[in-house]
């Protein structure tokens, strides 16, 4: 199937402008559209997470953040502007992040979502709802379910044996020399 948005791309937030775009998208989608408290949507984990922004050309259309745990990556705050909330678009965008997550050596992913969105994760990404008690969140009409599963492993993960130069490079830009490297 040909994408309705052929110019979609995924960007790891590596500049203040990227982070700004992620925060604006979350403000639009969660705070403005759904009335969710900003204190829930923006928290201290924003400073420890990797943020991904999806652009259609130069226009920011979606974002999510990933937090890193011992043996899994946790997807959080996934949001898309209304025009881009089509399952094929969401699937394409989230799959773009799987390569980055796998490159960091992770093959297990987890998210927490309301039931209708948990089903979306199970259908689009073959994840499964985990048999743990749902999380009740004040101000949210539905409890959050935990959804988890596996993604394909990278054929070239970043490890302790990776080149020292690779380990110095900016997040997600591991394959090309940085401006600080001498040739």
């Amino acid at each position: 199937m040909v994408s309705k948005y052929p110019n979609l791309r995924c960007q790891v937030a590596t500049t203040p402008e990227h982070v700004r775009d992620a925060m604006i998208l979350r403000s639009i989608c969660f705070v403005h559209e759904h009335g969710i408290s900003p204190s829930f949507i923006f928290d201290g984990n924003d400073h420890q997470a990797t943020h991904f922004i999806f652009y259609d050309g130069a226009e920011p259309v979606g974002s999510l953040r990933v937090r890193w745990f011992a043996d899994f990556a946790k997807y959080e705050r996934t949001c898309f502007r209304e025009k881009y909330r089509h399952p094929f678009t969401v699937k394409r965008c989230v799959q773009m992040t799987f390569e980055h997550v796998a490159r960091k050596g992770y093959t297990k992913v987890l998210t927490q979502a309301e039931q209708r969105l948990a089903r979306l994760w199970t259908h689009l990404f073959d994840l499964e709802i985990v048999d743990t008690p749902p999380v009740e969140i004040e101000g949210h009409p539905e409890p959050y379910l935990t959804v988890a599963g596996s993604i394909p492993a990278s054929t070239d993960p970043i490890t302790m044996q990776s080149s020292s130069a690779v380990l110095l490079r900016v997040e997600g830009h591991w394959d090309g020399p940085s401006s600080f490297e001498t040739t």
Side-chain angles (χ1 to χ4, degrees):
M1 175 178 193
V2 176
S3 173
K4 184 176 177 179
Y5 304 106
N7 297 318
L8 280 177
R9 65 184 173 85
C10 177
Q11 174 67 55
V12 176
T14 58
T15 69
E17 292 77 19
H18 296 150
V19 174
R20 174 205 62 206
D21 289 347
M23 299 305 134
I24 289 171
L25 287 161
R26 282 164 49 188
S27 292
I28 291 168
C29 297
F30 293 119
V31 179
H32 176 71
E33 291 181 11
H34 297 289
I36 298 173
S37 170
S39 63
F40 178 74
I41 295 305
F42 305 102
D43 60 23
N45 289 325
D46 285 323
H47 303 287
Q48 288 81 33
T50 300
H51 298 272
F52 293 88
I53 306 91
F54 308 104
Y55 292 91
D56 183 9
E59 188 69 23
V61 300
S63 73
L64 61 82
R65 77 179 186 196
V66 174
R67 289 196 299 140
W68 311 98
F69 293 89
D71 66 346
F72 67 95
K74 184 174 186 269
Y75 279 67
E76 301 175 329
R77 307 300 191 267
T78 303
C79 65
F80 287 87
R81 287 181 23 213
E82 188 173 12
K83 174 180 168 181
Y84 292 87
R85 290 181 197 150
H86 187 278
F88 292 112
T89 303
V90 171
K91 183 174 184 174
R92 183 171 166 214
C93 288
V94 173
Q95 282 180 325
M96 286 187 249
T97 69
F98 287 167
E99 182 179 325
H100 183 92
V101 170
R103 190 79 192 273
K104 290 187 78 149
Y106 292 86
T107 58
K108 296 178 193 169
V109 296
L110 178 143
T111 193
Q112 293 171 307
E114 294 175 358
Q115 185 172 358
R116 68 183 175 80
L117 297 174
R119 283 195 312 269
L120 183 74
W121 284 89
T122 63
H123 292 303
L124 294 181
F125 307 109
D126 295 324
L127 303 180
E128 295 182 3
I129 295 174
V130 178
D131 188 24
T132 59
V135 178
E136 299 284 342
I137 299 172
E138 185 176 335
H140 292 246
E142 293 183 45
Y144 276 46
L145 305 176
T146 300
V147 182
S150 297
I151 60 172
S154 173
T155 58
D156 186 25
I158 307 297
T159 68
M160 289 178 67
Q161 290 73 41
S162 295
S163 155
S164 295
V166 168
L167 297 174
L168 283 171
R169 293 176 184 157
V170 172
E171 184 80 10
H173 296 273
W174 300 299
D175 295 324
S178 70
S179 61
F180 301 105
E181 293 176 57
T182 58
T183 55

